[in-house]
C-alpha cells in the first residue's frame, strides 16, 4: 500500500449473533475493527425496531474501542442523553428526522459526544451545506436505512466527492463515512471515492467467515489499493 489514506472499518453489530454479542464484539476487535457502529431503529423513522441503550451499554462493556450510534429514529434529540450515558462517543442522526438539525447538533454536542449527520439515498448532500460548520462527521447511506445485508446502491458513491467539495468550500475536514452494502469486493472503490470510514455489517457478521477473517479480507482489499 503506497501513501494511500488510512480508511477505518466500523463493524455494524446489526447482523451479529445477539446470543453471544460480547464474544462477537471481541472477535471483531481482535480482527482489527477501528470502532463499532450501532444501528438503533425505532420502528417509526424506519419500519424496523432494533435495540436501545442496554445493547449500547453491553457493547461498551465488551470493548474499549470507540462506539458510534447510528440513530435511525424520529425525534433523535429525545435520546441523545441516554445513548451518551450508555457510553457512545459519537451520535449520528438523520437530517431527514431533524427539522432543526442545527439545534439537534448543538443538543448532541451538549452531551459531550461528537455529533454527525446521516443522509439517506434520496437526500442530496447539498441539504447538508448549511450545517457543515457544526458537525463532526457525515454518513452517506448506500442503502435505504432499515436493514443489514442489502446490496450497495453504488451510484451514490458520487456523493462522496460532492460532499468533499462542499466541506472544502466550508473550510471543514471531517470524516465521511459510507454505510450500507460494503464488502471486500467494493471496499477499494469506496476508499477511492474518498471515504474515511466504512461501515461493514453482514460482511463481518455472517455464517460464511469469522469476524476476524472478514475484517482481514476487508483490510486486504483496502491495502491492495494502488
Ligand atoms: C442499515 C444500517 C447499516 C447496515 C449495514 O440501515 O444503517 O449500518 O446495518 O449492514 P450491511 O453492511 O450488511 O449493509
Ligand atoms: Zn448504520
Amino acid at each position: 500500500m503506497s501513501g494511500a489514506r488510512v480508511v477505518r472499518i466500523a463493524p455494524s453489530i446489526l447482523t451479529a449473533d445477539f446470543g453471544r454479542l460480547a464474544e462477537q464484539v471481541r472477535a471483531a476487535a481482535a480482527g482489527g475493527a477501528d470502532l463499532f457502529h450501532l444501528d438503533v431503529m425505532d420502528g417509526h423513522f424506519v419500519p424496523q425496531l432494533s435495540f436501545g441503550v442496554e445493547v449500547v451499554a453491553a457493547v461498551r462493556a465488551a470493548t474499549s474501542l470507540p462506539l458510534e450510534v447510528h440513530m435511525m429514529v424520529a425525534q433523535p434529540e429525545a435520546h441523545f442523553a441516554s445513548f451518551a450515558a450508555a457510553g457512545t462517543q459519537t451520535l449520528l442522526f438523520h437530517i431527514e428526522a431533524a427539522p432543526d438539525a442545527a439545534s439537534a447538533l448543538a443538543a448532541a454536542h451538549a452531551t459531550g459526544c461528537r455529533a454527525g449527520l446521516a443522509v439517506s439515498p434520496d437526500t442530496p448532500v447539498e441539504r447538508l451545506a448549511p450545517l457543515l460548520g457544526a458537525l463532526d462527521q457525515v454518513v452517506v447511506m448506500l442503502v435505504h436505512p432499515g436493514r443489514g445485508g442489502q446490496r450497495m446502491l453504488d451510484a451514490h458513491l458520487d456523493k462522496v466527492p460532492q460532499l468533499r467539495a462542499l466541506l472544502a468550500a466550508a473550510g471543514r475536514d471531517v470524516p465521511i463515512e459510507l454505510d450500507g452494502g460494503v464488502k471486500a469486493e467494493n471496499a477499494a472503490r469506496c476508499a477511492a471515492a474518498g471515504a474515511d470510514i466504512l461501515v461493514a455489517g453482514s460482511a463481518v457478521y455472517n455464517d460464511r467467515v469469522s469476524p476476524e477473517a472478514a475484517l482481514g479480507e476487508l483490510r486486504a482489499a483496502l491495502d491492495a489499493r494502488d
Side-chain angles (χ1 to χ4, degrees):
M1 182 176 83
S2 61
R5 252 174 328 97
V6 172
V7 177
R8 286 176 283 165
I9 301 174
S12 157
I13 62 166
L14 195 62
T15 54
D17 177 348
F18 278 68
R20 54 194 184 100
L21 182 59
E23 181 189 320
Q24 295 258 273
V25 166
R26 284 193 288 271
D34 295 294
L35 66 151
F36 283 94
H37 180 90
L38 309 177
D39 286 306
V40 172
M41 302 175 187
D42 67 355
H44 296 285
F45 180 72
V46 293
Q48 293 75 9
L49 196 57
S50 62
F51 51 79
V53 293
E54 294 77 9
V55 169
V56 174
V59 175
R60 179 71 288 154
T63 180
S64 57
L65 287 174
L67 308 183
E68 61 181 27
V69 175
H70 177 193
M71 302 172 76
M72 287 161 277
V73 304
Q75 284 100 35
E77 289 179 65
H79 307 283
F80 290 155
S82 58
F83 282 105
T88 189
Q89 276 71 35
T90 302
L91 295 164
L92 305 168
F93 58 97
H94 275 260
I95 191 167
E96 300 90 356
D100 185 348
S103 82
L105 285 165
H109 279 132
T111 68
C113 289
R114 298 174 67 254
L117 284 172
V119 285
S120 292
D122 296 339
T123 301
V125 290
E126 287 71 17
R127 279 274 307 277
L128 295 168
L131 301 155
L132 296 179
L135 50 72
D136 305 307
Q137 186 171 323
V138 177
V139 183
V140 174
M141 296 296 297
L142 296 176
V143 296
H144 292 288
R147 277 185 303 105
Q150 299 179 70
R151 186 170 173 69
M152 179 186 288
L153 302 168
D154 53 3
H156 293 271
L157 283 172
D158 293 347
K159 286 185 172 180
V160 180
Q162 290 165 15
L163 180 55
R164 192 64 76 189
L166 291 171
L167 284 163
R172 298 299 316 281
D173 179 15
V174 303
I176 298 176
E177 178 173 282
L178 293 177
D179 186 11
V182 172
K183 307 287 179 218
E185 299 78 63
N186 60 35
R189 272 187 68 203
C190 293
D196 299 294
I197 306 170
L198 301 182
V199 174
S202 52
V204 173
Y205 294 114
N206 61 63
D207 52 14
R208 183 176 61 83
V209 288
S210 69
E212 295 94 329
L215 280 153
E217 287 174 8
L218 282 163
R219 193 66 72 190
L222 290 170
D223 291 347
R225 286 176 288 159
D226 52 20

